[in-house]
Structures are given as C-alpha cells and as structure tokens.
Amino acid sequence: MGRLSSMIRPLNPATTPEFSPYAARRPARIPIDFTSPEIGRRPPVALILADPTEAPPLLESLQQIGAPVVVASNGAAGLRLIETERPAVIVVDLWLPVLNGLEVLRRRSEATPAFLIADFTSPGLRIEAVAARVLALIVRPLDPDTL
C-alpha cells in the first residue's frame, strides 16, 4: 500500500476491513463537487481544528484546488459554522475544546461529507466515526500533499 492508504482510512462499512473481511483494502476515492447551483455560490470547506498551526498547510492545499475555506477553533463554533455556512466538506479534529469532533459531527443536521483528524486509530474510534457519518479517518501527522 502507498503513503495515501497509511494516512487516510475510509470508514464506509462496506469497504472497511473491520466490517467486511472481503472489502478492498484501498482507500475509496470520493468525488466532491465544489459548485452548488442551489445557493448560487461555491460552498466552502469547513476546517474545525484545535491547533491553529495545522491550518496553514491545509489552507494552502485547499486554495490550490480553488476551494473557499471557513475555519473554527472549537466544537461549538464549528457546529454554528456548519449550520450557517452549509459547507461542501467538513474536516474536523477529534480533540476540540467545548465539543469534541465526533460530537460536532453527530449533532450536524445535514449529511455533509466529513473527515475526522485523530492522533490514533482503533476499532472503537472507527465504529464511533461510522456512526457519526465520517467518510474517512485521517491519522496525524498531516501531509498536505495527501490531503
């Protein structure tokens, strides 16, 4: 497996090895369209990160693909941002002040594609992430080229 598969782990029950012994072991490619004719603008990517030093590399990667970005630094602010901005994609840190990343994703009202950033992975965390409708778990250290 390449570098991508060691960093991003898809959490779809049909393709996650913990849930299906016959599943492919390659990460799923997830097409995301940043145009939305319903709202007349490009919906942003929501970055909800506890550590502001992680934001610049992620912002640079997203700007290279032309995605607008909105940022929050705690779970409560992130949840408000999700509800008001209606992002195309959510990238959220597991360990956030006020509300953790999983709780933010559980409380969101729409099924917006979401990626969870964590320092580790475990079967329990993966099960909770699937329940919170997370598409993939991104394990630190973050590599902007992979994202």
mmCIF file with all atom_site columns, all heavy atoms in Angstrom, residues 120-134:
data_model
loop_
_atom_site.group_PDB
_atom_site.id
_atom_site.type_symbol
_atom_site.label_atom_id
_atom_site.label_alt_id
_atom_site.label_comp_id
_atom_site.label_asym_id
_atom_site.label_entity_id
_atom_site.label_seq_id
_atom_site.pdbx_PDB_ins_code
_atom_site.Cartn_x
_atom_site.Cartn_y
_atom_site.Cartn_z
_atom_site.occupancy
_atom_site.B_iso_or_equiv
_atom_site.pdbx_formal_charge
_atom_site.auth_seq_id
_atom_site.auth_comp_id
_atom_site.auth_asym_id
_atom_site.auth_atom_id
_atom_site.pdbx_PDB_model_num
ATOM 1   N N   . PHE A 1 120 ? -4.585  8.858  16.526 1.00 0.00 ? 120 PHE A N   1
ATOM 2   C CA  . PHE A 1 120 ? -4.511  7.403  16.549 1.00 0.00 ? 120 PHE A CA  1
ATOM 3   C C   . PHE A 1 120 ? -5.754  6.841  15.869 1.00 0.00 ? 120 PHE A C   1
ATOM 4   O O   . PHE A 1 120 ? -6.677  7.576  15.537 1.00 0.00 ? 120 PHE A O   1
ATOM 5   C CB  . PHE A 1 120 ? -4.452  6.896  17.990 1.00 0.00 ? 120 PHE A CB  1
ATOM 6   C CG  . PHE A 1 120 ? -5.730  7.195  18.747 1.00 0.00 ? 120 PHE A CG  1
ATOM 7   C CD1 . PHE A 1 120 ? -6.737  6.250  18.828 1.00 0.00 ? 120 PHE A CD1 1
ATOM 8   C CD2 . PHE A 1 120 ? -5.920  8.428  19.355 1.00 0.00 ? 120 PHE A CD2 1
ATOM 9   C CE1 . PHE A 1 120 ? -7.921  6.526  19.499 1.00 0.00 ? 120 PHE A CE1 1
ATOM 10  C CE2 . PHE A 1 120 ? -7.100  8.706  20.033 1.00 0.00 ? 120 PHE A CE2 1
ATOM 11  C CZ  . PHE A 1 120 ? -8.103  7.761  20.108 1.00 0.00 ? 120 PHE A CZ  1
ATOM 12  N N   . THR A 1 121 ? -5.765  5.540  15.690 1.00 0.00 ? 121 THR A N   1
ATOM 13  C CA  . THR A 1 121 ? -6.969  4.864  15.238 1.00 0.00 ? 121 THR A CA  1
ATOM 14  C C   . THR A 1 121 ? -7.141  3.598  16.061 1.00 0.00 ? 121 THR A C   1
ATOM 15  O O   . THR A 1 121 ? -6.172  3.028  16.545 1.00 0.00 ? 121 THR A O   1
ATOM 16  C CB  . THR A 1 121 ? -6.926  4.538  13.731 1.00 0.00 ? 121 THR A CB  1
ATOM 17  O OG1 . THR A 1 121 ? -8.173  3.977  13.356 1.00 0.00 ? 121 THR A OG1 1
ATOM 18  C CG2 . THR A 1 121 ? -5.800  3.616  13.374 1.00 0.00 ? 121 THR A CG2 1
ATOM 19  N N   . SER A 1 122 ? -8.371  3.220  16.250 1.00 0.00 ? 122 SER A N   1
ATOM 20  C CA  . SER A 1 122 ? -8.680  1.988  16.972 1.00 0.00 ? 122 SER A CA  1
ATOM 21  C C   . SER A 1 122 ? -10.029 1.495  16.455 1.00 0.00 ? 122 SER A C   1
ATOM 22  O O   . SER A 1 122 ? -10.793 2.275  15.886 1.00 0.00 ? 122 SER A O   1
ATOM 23  C CB  . SER A 1 122 ? -8.760  2.247  18.475 1.00 0.00 ? 122 SER A CB  1
ATOM 24  O OG  . SER A 1 122 ? -9.917  3.013  18.778 1.00 0.00 ? 122 SER A OG  1
ATOM 25  N N   . PRO A 1 123 ? -10.325 0.226  16.646 1.00 0.00 ? 123 PRO A N   1
ATOM 26  C CA  . PRO A 1 123 ? -11.633 -0.264 16.198 1.00 0.00 ? 123 PRO A CA  1
ATOM 27  C C   . PRO A 1 123 ? -12.797 0.511  16.830 1.00 0.00 ? 123 PRO A C   1
ATOM 28  O O   . PRO A 1 123 ? -13.777 0.818  16.162 1.00 0.00 ? 123 PRO A O   1
ATOM 29  C CB  . PRO A 1 123 ? -11.630 -1.737 16.624 1.00 0.00 ? 123 PRO A CB  1
ATOM 30  C CG  . PRO A 1 123 ? -10.191 -2.108 16.641 1.00 0.00 ? 123 PRO A CG  1
ATOM 31  C CD  . PRO A 1 123 ? -9.475  -0.876 17.115 1.00 0.00 ? 123 PRO A CD  1
ATOM 32  N N   . GLY A 1 124 ? -12.676 0.855  18.105 1.00 0.00 ? 124 GLY A N   1
ATOM 33  C CA  . GLY A 1 124 ? -13.739 1.614  18.774 1.00 0.00 ? 124 GLY A CA  1
ATOM 34  C C   . GLY A 1 124 ? -13.938 2.994  18.163 1.00 0.00 ? 124 GLY A C   1
ATOM 35  O O   . GLY A 1 124 ? -15.078 3.420  17.941 1.00 0.00 ? 124 GLY A O   1
ATOM 36  N N   . LEU A 1 125 ? -12.842 3.684  17.892 1.00 0.00 ? 125 LEU A N   1
ATOM 37  C CA  . LEU A 1 125 ? -12.935 5.006  17.273 1.00 0.00 ? 125 LEU A CA  1
ATOM 38  C C   . LEU A 1 125 ? -13.535 4.889  15.878 1.00 0.00 ? 125 LEU A C   1
ATOM 39  O O   . LEU A 1 125 ? -14.372 5.700  15.478 1.00 0.00 ? 125 LEU A O   1
ATOM 40  C CB  . LEU A 1 125 ? -11.558 5.675  17.203 1.00 0.00 ? 125 LEU A CB  1
ATOM 41  C CG  . LEU A 1 125 ? -11.497 7.011  16.471 1.00 0.00 ? 125 LEU A CG  1
ATOM 42  C CD1 . LEU A 1 125 ? -12.404 8.047  17.156 1.00 0.00 ? 125 LEU A CD1 1
ATOM 43  C CD2 . LEU A 1 125 ? -10.071 7.524  16.396 1.00 0.00 ? 125 LEU A CD2 1
ATOM 44  N N   . ARG A 1 126 ? -13.144 3.878  15.131 1.00 0.00 ? 126 ARG A N   1
ATOM 45  C CA  . ARG A 1 126 ? -13.669 3.697  13.772 1.00 0.00 ? 126 ARG A CA  1
ATOM 46  C C   . ARG A 1 126 ? -15.177 3.426  13.799 1.00 0.00 ? 126 ARG A C   1
ATOM 47  O O   . ARG A 1 126 ? -15.922 3.941  12.976 1.00 0.00 ? 126 ARG A O   1
ATOM 48  C CB  . ARG A 1 126 ? -12.904 2.593  13.062 1.00 0.00 ? 126 ARG A CB  1
ATOM 49  C CG  . ARG A 1 126 ? -11.450 3.010  12.781 1.00 0.00 ? 126 ARG A CG  1
ATOM 50  C CD  . ARG A 1 126 ? -10.609 1.841  12.319 1.00 0.00 ? 126 ARG A CD  1
ATOM 51  N NE  . ARG A 1 126 ? -10.949 1.390  10.998 1.00 0.00 ? 126 ARG A NE  1
ATOM 52  C CZ  . ARG A 1 126 ? -10.346 1.787  9.884  1.00 0.00 ? 126 ARG A CZ  1
ATOM 53  N NH1 . ARG A 1 126 ? -9.381  2.671  9.947  1.00 0.00 ? 126 ARG A NH1 1
ATOM 54  N NH2 . ARG A 1 126 ? -10.708 1.316  8.715  1.00 0.00 ? 126 ARG A NH2 1
ATOM 55  N N   . ILE A 1 127 ? -15.639 2.650  14.764 1.00 0.00 ? 127 ILE A N   1
ATOM 56  C CA  . ILE A 1 127 ? -17.072 2.377  14.886 1.00 0.00 ? 127 ILE A CA  1
ATOM 57  C C   . ILE A 1 127 ? -17.832 3.649  15.224 1.00 0.00 ? 127 ILE A C   1
ATOM 58  O O   . ILE A 1 127 ? -18.871 3.950  14.642 1.00 0.00 ? 127 ILE A O   1
ATOM 59  C CB  . ILE A 1 127 ? -17.324 1.262  15.927 1.00 0.00 ? 127 ILE A CB  1
ATOM 60  C CG1 . ILE A 1 127 ? -16.831 -0.080 15.362 1.00 0.00 ? 127 ILE A CG1 1
ATOM 61  C CG2 . ILE A 1 127 ? -18.803 1.190  16.307 1.00 0.00 ? 127 ILE A CG2 1
ATOM 62  C CD1 . ILE A 1 127 ? -16.753 -1.191 16.376 1.00 0.00 ? 127 ILE A CD1 1
ATOM 63  N N   . GLU A 1 128 ? -17.287 4.451  16.167 1.00 0.00 ? 128 GLU A N   1
ATOM 64  C CA  . GLU A 1 128 ? -17.925 5.725  16.514 1.00 0.00 ? 128 GLU A CA  1
ATOM 65  C C   . GLU A 1 128 ? -17.936 6.674  15.319 1.00 0.00 ? 128 GLU A C   1
ATOM 66  O O   . GLU A 1 128 ? -18.906 7.397  15.099 1.00 0.00 ? 128 GLU A O   1
ATOM 67  C CB  . GLU A 1 128 ? -17.208 6.387  17.688 1.00 0.00 ? 128 GLU A CB  1
ATOM 68  C CG  . GLU A 1 128 ? -17.485 5.729  19.013 1.00 0.00 ? 128 GLU A CG  1
ATOM 69  C CD  . GLU A 1 128 ? -16.893 6.536  20.149 1.00 0.00 ? 128 GLU A CD  1
ATOM 70  O OE1 . GLU A 1 128 ? -17.263 7.716  20.292 1.00 0.00 ? 128 GLU A OE1 1
ATOM 71  O OE2 . GLU A 1 128 ? -16.062 5.978  20.882 1.00 0.00 ? 128 GLU A OE2 1
ATOM 72  N N   . ALA A 1 129 ? -16.855 6.677  14.548 1.00 0.00 ? 129 ALA A N   1
ATOM 73  C CA  . ALA A 1 129 ? -16.778 7.552  13.376 1.00 0.00 ? 129 ALA A CA  1
ATOM 74  C C   . ALA A 1 129 ? -17.812 7.155  12.327 1.00 0.00 ? 129 ALA A C   1
ATOM 75  O O   . ALA A 1 129 ? -18.453 8.023  11.725 1.00 0.00 ? 129 ALA A O   1
ATOM 76  C CB  . ALA A 1 129 ? -15.364 7.518  12.793 1.00 0.00 ? 129 ALA A CB  1
ATOM 77  N N   . VAL A 1 130 ? -17.990 5.876  12.093 1.00 0.00 ? 130 VAL A N   1
ATOM 78  C CA  . VAL A 1 130 ? -19.009 5.419  11.147 1.00 0.00 ? 130 VAL A CA  1
ATOM 79  C C   . VAL A 1 130 ? -20.386 5.860  11.633 1.00 0.00 ? 130 VAL A C   1
ATOM 80  O O   . VAL A 1 130 ? -21.212 6.332  10.857 1.00 0.00 ? 130 VAL A O   1
ATOM 81  C CB  . VAL A 1 130 ? -18.947 3.889  10.944 1.00 0.00 ? 130 VAL A CB  1
ATOM 82  C CG1 . VAL A 1 130 ? -20.170 3.383  10.204 1.00 0.00 ? 130 VAL A CG1 1
ATOM 83  C CG2 . VAL A 1 130 ? -17.685 3.512  10.178 1.00 0.00 ? 130 VAL A CG2 1
ATOM 84  N N   . ALA A 1 131 ? -20.652 5.727  12.921 1.00 0.00 ? 131 ALA A N   1
ATOM 85  C CA  . ALA A 1 131 ? -21.945 6.139  13.483 1.00 0.00 ? 131 ALA A CA  1
ATOM 86  C C   . ALA A 1 131 ? -22.172 7.641  13.315 1.00 0.00 ? 131 ALA A C   1
ATOM 87  O O   . ALA A 1 131 ? -23.306 8.090  13.172 1.00 0.00 ? 131 ALA A O   1
ATOM 88  C CB  . ALA A 1 131 ? -22.024 5.757  14.959 1.00 0.00 ? 131 ALA A CB  1
ATOM 89  N N   . ALA A 1 132 ? -21.083 8.429  13.307 1.00 0.00 ? 132 ALA A N   1
ATOM 90  C CA  . ALA A 1 132 ? -21.179 9.887  13.131 1.00 0.00 ? 132 ALA A CA  1
ATOM 91  C C   . ALA A 1 132 ? -21.131 10.285 11.656 1.00 0.00 ? 132 ALA A C   1
ATOM 92  O O   . ALA A 1 132 ? -20.989 11.455 11.336 1.00 0.00 ? 132 ALA A O   1
ATOM 93  C CB  . ALA A 1 132 ? -20.062 10.593 13.900 1.00 0.00 ? 132 ALA A CB  1
ATOM 94  N N   . ARG A 1 133 ? -21.213 9.318  10.740 1.00 0.00 ? 133 ARG A N   1
ATOM 95  C CA  . ARG A 1 133 ? -21.228 9.540  9.288  1.00 0.00 ? 133 ARG A CA  1
ATOM 96  C C   . ARG A 1 133 ? -19.929 10.164 8.782  1.00 0.00 ? 133 ARG A C   1
ATOM 97  O O   . ARG A 1 133 ? -19.933 11.049 7.940  1.00 0.00 ? 133 ARG A O   1
ATOM 98  C CB  . ARG A 1 133 ? -22.429 10.392 8.884  1.00 0.00 ? 133 ARG A CB  1
ATOM 99  C CG  . ARG A 1 133 ? -23.751 9.767  9.235  1.00 0.00 ? 133 ARG A CG  1
ATOM 100 C CD  . ARG A 1 133 ? -24.881 10.682 8.931  1.00 0.00 ? 133 ARG A CD  1
ATOM 101 N NE  . ARG A 1 133 ? -24.695 11.930 9.687  1.00 0.00 ? 133 ARG A NE  1
ATOM 102 C CZ  . ARG A 1 133 ? -25.651 12.795 9.933  1.00 0.00 ? 133 ARG A CZ  1
ATOM 103 N NH1 . ARG A 1 133 ? -26.849 12.602 9.493  1.00 0.00 ? 133 ARG A NH1 1
ATOM 104 N NH2 . ARG A 1 133 ? -25.417 13.895 10.614 1.00 0.00 ? 133 ARG A NH2 1
ATOM 105 N N   . VAL A 1 134 ? -18.799 9.684  9.285  1.00 0.00 ? 134 VAL A N   1
ATOM 106 C CA  . VAL A 1 134 ? -17.483 10.143 8.834  1.00 0.00 ? 134 VAL A CA  1
ATOM 107 C C   . VAL A 1 134 ? -17.077 9.308  7.624  1.00 0.00 ? 134 VAL A C   1
ATOM 108 O O   . VAL A 1 134 ? -17.210 8.086  7.635  1.00 0.00 ? 134 VAL A O   1
ATOM 109 C CB  . VAL A 1 134 ? -16.439 9.995  9.970  1.00 0.00 ? 134 VAL A CB  1
ATOM 110 C CG1 . VAL A 1 134 ? -15.036 10.257 9.468  1.00 0.00 ? 134 VAL A CG1 1
ATOM 111 C CG2 . VAL A 1 134 ? -16.789 10.914 11.126 1.00 0.00 ? 134 VAL A CG2 1
#
